[in-house]
Amino acid sequence: MSRAGFCAIIGAPNAGKSTLTNRLVGAKVSIVTQKVQTTRFPVRGVAMHGDAQIVLVDTPGIFQPRRRLDRAMVRAAWGGAEDADAVVHLVDSAAELAVGTPEAKPADRRAVQDVEAIVEGLKAAGRKVILALNKIDGVPRESLLGLSQKLYDTGVYEEVFMISAVTGSGVDDLKARMAELMPEGPWLYPEDQTADLPARLLAAEITREKVYLRVHEELPYSASVETTKFEERKDGGVRIEQTIYVERESQRPILLGKGGQTLKWIGQKAREELTVILDRPVHLFLHVQVDERWADKREFYGDMGLDYDV
């Protein structure tokens, strides 16, 4: 008998949710950067395990929201968890264990605060979930067992898995458990489909990933990418036009780079990856536009399935 259902992966920003989603699916469906808070809306990846189809809801990181976009992202994350058949709470074990030592970074402390907020949210919802301790590479086992016990004692977890989303250690066991929790029923997607993200939205996400990879130091979250044209060509290829929005005029030269070299690199890397993902020739054209209010536009939220009025 086949099984199919939804499993939400929730966690603080940078816990490794997108990396885990991509590892479970076996293909790239969610962008991965070293910058926290890059997943802005729930990306569904489709993972197969035996007769079970697991539709993964990769939610934006749950954190303390400060502006409209933040509030919409946190609402989307909790919404994804409420509707799912199973929920995995992914925790950065390295950050948890670093806090309390002299090496602790501000990001570690924020991650721990976010985990505490998620635990409180789960208590309020009366929801029991799976705890997955991530980034276990090189962490002493006794430290992990102590951390596991401390979190388990909060009462919101049914079971604990220790994994490394990067190396794949422990991920197969977690995947098998997810499969068992899916309800019996027909598959929701064709067997060879890995994500239900519309192609033009996926294309924008891939380009946005390249923007962050290249200029993440100089351009904190003030960039967005919109696919303005997605045309099938007679030769079987696709023509994609995109606008990269920045909030200030001073950010345009950062994105363009000397002699346009930075934008050229972003375009080339995005095109190479889209050619593989879409499995056909891609002609990509990028434009940079200054719009200081892009994060306040209602249509931007609707395109991404976020609630503008949070």
Side-chain angles (χ1 to χ4, degrees):
M1 178 69 188
S2 63
R3 295 174 175 273
F6 293 87
C7 181
I9 302 174
I10 64 171
N14 234 18
K17 297 180 299 298
S18 296
T19 305
L20 178 59
T21 297
N22 293 339
R23 168 73 62 179
L24 288 163
V25 172
K28 181 162 186 172
V29 293
S30 197
I31 68 167
V32 181
T33 72
Q34 70 274 58
K35 197 163 187 60
V36 298
Q37 216 40 54
T38 44
T39 302
R40 286 189 180 154
F41 51 91
V43 172
R44 291 180 177 85
V46 183
M48 302 299 301
H49 185 84
D51 292 332
Q53 188 176 70
I54 310 157
V55 183
L56 299 160
V57 186
D58 171 27
T59 59
I62 295 172
F63 59 107
Q64 304 301 319
R66 285 184 294 282
R67 52 186 189 155
R68 183 189 294 275
L69 179 59
D70 296 346
R71 290 195 299 276
M73 287 158 71
V74 172
R75 168 68 63 84
W78 279 118
E82 283 163 16
D83 300 339
D85 298 296
V87 177
V88 172
H89 178 198
L90 195 65
V91 171
D92 179 344
S93 59
E96 290 282 328
L97 293 168
V99 168
T101 69
E103 292 80 50
K105 302 185 193 78
D108 295 329
R109 283 189 278 277
R110 276 199 302 277
V112 170
Q113 288 168 355
D114 288 334
V115 168
E116 288 168 358
I118 291 169
V119 168
E120 291 310 309
L122 290 168
K123 281 181 180 171
R127 187 82 199 248
K128 285 265 197 178
V129 306
I130 293 171
L131 170 62
L133 291 177
N134 191 24
K135 305 184 187 180
I136 61 169
D137 316 81
V139 178
R141 186 153 180 83
E142 50 277 13
S143 302
L144 286 170
L145 290 171
L147 173 61
S148 158
Q149 191 63 51
K150 183 188 92 169
L151 288 168
Y152 189 79
D153 288 345
T154 60
V156 297
Y157 304 110
E158 290 177 304
E159 49 200 315
V160 184
F161 288 82
M162 296 186 190
I163 68 163
S164 168
V166 170
T167 66
S169 173
V171 173
D172 285 347
D173 292 338
L174 176 62
K175 188 177 186 179
R177 182 65 183 127
M178 290 174 170
E180 288 171 2
L181 293 170
M182 296 300 102
E184 290 188 352
W187 290 347
L188 303 165
Y189 292 94
E191 188 176 358
D192 59 354
Q193 187 168 340
T194 59
D196 74 350
L197 202 59
R200 54 193 302 142
L201 208 50
L202 177 66
E205 281 294 278
I206 295 294
T207 301
R208 192 163 67 88
E209 175 185 50
K210 305 312 172 205
V211 169
Y212 283 137
L213 286 173
R214 185 62 190 255
V215 292
H216 66 100
E217 298 292 341
E218 306 95 315
L219 214 62
Y221 304 107
S222 42
S224 178
V225 180
E226 181 186 10
T227 302
T228 51
K229 194 172 271 189
F230 194 101
E231 283 182 346
E232 308 284 344
R233 288 168 44 120
K234 288 190 174 69
D235 62 4
V238 61
R239 178 189 171 95
I240 302 173
E241 291 182 23
Q242 295 179 331
T243 301
I244 304 174
Y245 293 102
V246 291
E247 289 177 339
R248 291 188 292 282
E249 192 59 53
S250 61
Q251 292 166 340
R252 185 202 288 268
I254 294 171
L255 206 50
L256 292 173
K258 193 172 180 182
Q261 285 303 307
T262 301
L263 190 66
K264 188 177 176 184
W265 182 92
I266 291 165
Q268 181 188 336
K269 294 295 180 189
R271 190 185 73 249
E272 286 169 2
E273 189 158 322
L274 284 165
T275 299
V276 173
I277 290 175
L278 299 173
D279 196 24
R280 53 188 160 155
V282 171
H283 307 271
L284 179 63
F285 301 88
L286 301 179
H287 313 276
V288 180
Q289 192 172 324
V290 179
D291 183 351
E292 60 188 42
R293 301 195 59 80
W294 70 258
D296 289 319
K297 288 190 169 171
R298 185 177 286 274
E299 61 271 22
F300 168 75
Y301 289 74
D303 286 349
M304 302 202 305
L306 293 174
D307 185 354
Y308 179 84
D309 298 307
V310 175

